[in-house]
Amino acid sequence: MSKTNVVIVGASHGGHQSILELLKRYDDVDIKLFEAGDFVSFMSCGMELYLENSVTDVNDVRNFAPSDFKDDENVAILNNHQVTKINADKKTVTVINTKDNSQTEYPYDKLILSSGVTPKSIPVPGNDLENVYLMRGYDWATKIKNKLEDSSVKNITVVGAGYIGIEAAEASVKAGKNVTLMDVIDRPLGTYLDQEMTDILTKHLEEKGVKVITSANIKEYVGSDKVTAVKTDKEEIPSDVVIQAAGVQPNTNWLKGTVDLDDRGWIKTNEYLQTNLPDVYAIGDATLAYSIPADNHVPIALATVARREARYVVKHLFEKQPALPFGGVVGSSALSVFDYHFTESGLNSFTAKRSNVEVAKSFYTGSLRPAYVPAGKDNPEVCVQLFFNPSSHVLLGGAVLSTYDITAQGNVLALAIQHKLTVEDLADADFFFQPGFDRQWSILNIAAQHALGEKDF
C-alpha cells in the first residue's frame, strides 16, 4: 500500500510541530520537510540567552536537529533545499538544492506551508555596509556575538524597540557597550504595551545606560566600507555596529500568483487553515491568525500560535471538511527588560484600534503581598492593565508588569481572555491566598475590582 506524501515547507515551530503530530497520528505517511537554510532550526527567540552566555552551546539553540528523526524512516529533513514553486495542477513542488543549484520536483498529497518571515532592513543608504546586522537566525546571531566579544567595538546602535530590539540592547549593555536604542514610533514597546507601562520601562532602560531615541527619522547609515554612525534628521550617533530589529515581513514572494495573499503578502486561509489551493494548508508567522479577542485575522508571529495551528491542521488533515473550525488564539508573550518582567495577552490600545475594536481599559498598581510585608524585593509593586468590552465587560486583553516574576498571572489572563471571561468573573475568581505569595484577594482580583470602580482592598 502506497504512503500518503506530506510535504512541509519550513523547519521552524510550525514545521516541527507538524512532523510530531503526523508521526503521533498516522502510520502511512511519507514526510518530507524542506528548509532553505543550512541550520535546522535556530530559535531566534533564544538569541538573547545565547548572546548573554546563558545557553549550553549555540548549536543547541534550536527546535530540533535532523538527527532527531534519524530513526523515523517516514521522515526526511532536507536542509539547503528551497521550495520555489507550487505546481497545483500536478500536485508537486519545485525545489532547488542551494548547494549545487540542481532542481527537482517532489509530489505531494498534502502540503503544509510554514514559510515564516524574514527581518526587515531599513531602506536607507548604507544598509549594506559592513557591521550592519539583522537580529534573526543562526548566522546573524554568531556575527553579533563576535562583535559583543570584540573589545574594539564600543558603540552599538539598535534600530527598533520591539521585543527583539530590547533584547539586543540589553545583551549589548551587559557586554559593556555604549548602547543607543531608537524607534520610529514615540516609545519603546509601543505596539505591545500602553503608555502607563512603557513610561516605566523607558525610565528603567535609561537608568541602565541605554540612550533611548524615539520618533527617530533615520536618513543614512554613515561609513565607507564599515558603518561608523547612524544619521537621523537631528544628529549622528557614533556606531561601530548597527543591529536592525525593525520588524519582519512574510516570506511569501515565491507564492505570488499561486496562493492568495493580502496586499502586504500575508497568506490568506479560511477557517480551516486551508489556502485557495486544494490540499494546501498554511500555518505560522506568514499567515493571518484568527485572534479571539479581535474577532479578526491579524499577523501574530509567535511560536505558540504556529504550534497550535499545526496541531489543528494535522488532526484534521484527511477530513474533507473538518467538523470544527480552528478555534483561534489569544496571542500572549513575555519579556524581561533588565530588572523588570512583563507579560501581555490579547489586545491593547494600539492593536484594538488597528482591528477596529472598541475597548475600555483600567490600570492598577499595588503590592503583591500584604501591607505588613515591607515593600521591596519580597513585596514588590505590580502593575496590571486590563482591556475589556465596554458593554459586556468581556476581557479582551491585559498586561502585568513587575520586578517580580509574574508570568503565572500572565497565563491566567491569557486563559481568561481565551474563554471570554468578564471583568466580573476575574474580580470574583477563586485564587489561593498565602501571604508568602500574595494578598487575601490576589493582584488580579483587585485589578478587576478596580476596573469595576470598587474601592481598593
Side-chain angles (χ1 to χ4, degrees), residues 7-279:
V7 168
I8 302 168
V9 180
S12 191
H13 299 282
H16 181 222
Q17 191 68 40
S18 294
I19 295 176
L20 297 177
E21 296 294 330
L22 286 162
L23 292 176
K24 179 170 64 178
R25 298 176 186 277
Y26 311 109
D27 296 323
D28 55 347
V29 291
D30 181 84
I31 306 165
K32 286 185 172 60
L33 182 146
F34 296 105
E35 168 58 42
D38 179 65
F39 190 86
V40 176
S41 58
F42 188 75
M43 291 180 66
S44 291
C45 52
M47 189 183 292
E48 182 185 6
L49 295 175
Y50 163 60
L51 296 177
E52 295 178 1
N53 298 313
S54 297
V55 300
T56 51
D57 185 86
V58 65
N59 294 306
D60 298 332
V61 187
R62 64 201 312 171
N63 287 301
F64 70 99
S67 59
D68 293 348
F69 296 101
K70 66 181 186 300
D71 297 327
D72 292 291
E73 61 180 19
N74 291 355
V75 180
I77 311 293
L78 293 90
N79 60 327
N80 298 306
H81 280 67
Q82 184 172 3
V83 181
T84 59
K85 187 179 180 183
I86 300 172
N87 310 296
D89 54 338
K90 297 185 290 183
K91 294 193 78 170
T92 66
V93 290
T94 302
V95 183
I96 293 177
N97 182 326
T98 59
K99 290 292 188 181
D100 60 17
N101 287 322
S102 61
Q103 181 172 294
T104 308
E105 284 193 20
Y106 292 85
Y108 69 84
D109 296 302
K110 302 289 183 178
L111 174 59
I112 301 174
L113 304 177
S114 184
S115 53
V117 293
T118 54
K120 290 181 180 178
S121 180
I122 302 295
V124 296
N127 65 1
D128 57 348
L129 288 171
E130 188 176 341
N131 295 342
V132 175
Y133 297 151
L134 295 169
M135 183 75 170
R136 194 177 183 92
Y138 178 89
D139 292 340
W140 291 113
T142 52
K143 289 178 180 179
I144 293 170
K145 186 71 159 63
N146 287 335
K147 294 302 178 182
L148 295 185
E149 295 175 346
D150 185 346
S151 60
S152 68
V153 173
K154 306 296 184 184
N155 302 304
I156 294 181
T157 297
V158 179
V159 177
Y163 275 42
I164 295 172
I166 295 291
E167 291 178 335
E170 183 166 346
S172 299
V173 167
K174 290 178 178 177
K177 310 304 181 184
N178 300 317
V179 179
T180 300
L181 175 68
M182 57 172 54
D183 203 302
V184 67
I185 65 174
D186 62 348
R187 52 202 171 85
L189 297 165
T191 60
Y192 299 94
L193 299 170
D194 274 39
Q195 189 163 354
E196 292 91 340
M197 290 188 177
T198 59
D199 283 351
I200 295 170
L201 293 176
T202 300
K203 180 181 178 183
H204 188 59
L205 285 164
E206 291 170 341
E207 289 171 347
K208 292 296 183 178
V210 179
K211 180 181 179 182
V212 179
I213 300 176
T214 56
S215 302
N217 182 4
I218 298 174
K219 295 295 187 181
E220 179 184 359
Y221 296 147
V222 179
S224 51
D225 298 318
K226 298 180 180 180
V227 68
T228 59
V230 174
K231 183 179 181 180
T232 72
D233 58 344
K234 296 178 181 177
E235 59 183 319
E236 281 195 13
I237 298 101
S239 308
D240 302 310
V241 170
V242 172
I243 301 174
Q244 298 187 107
V248 295
Q249 56 195 7
N251 183 21
T252 56
N253 281 339
W254 64 284
L255 295 173
K256 288 180 178 178
T258 304
V259 172
D260 285 348
L261 310 174
D262 78 352
D263 56 3
R264 294 179 296 167
W266 304 102
I267 300 173
K268 292 182 178 180
T269 61
N270 64 13
E271 64 268 37
Y272 308 113
L273 305 185
Q274 300 164 337
T275 71
N276 59 299
L277 299 179
D279 296 313

Side-chain angles (χ1 to χ4, degrees), residues 48 163 166-167 170 201 334-342:
E48 182 185 6
Y163 275 42
I166 295 291
E167 291 178 335
E170 183 166 346
L201 293 176
L335 187 69
S336 292
V337 183
F338 291 101
D339 299 332
Y340 277 92
H341 316 282
F342 75 83

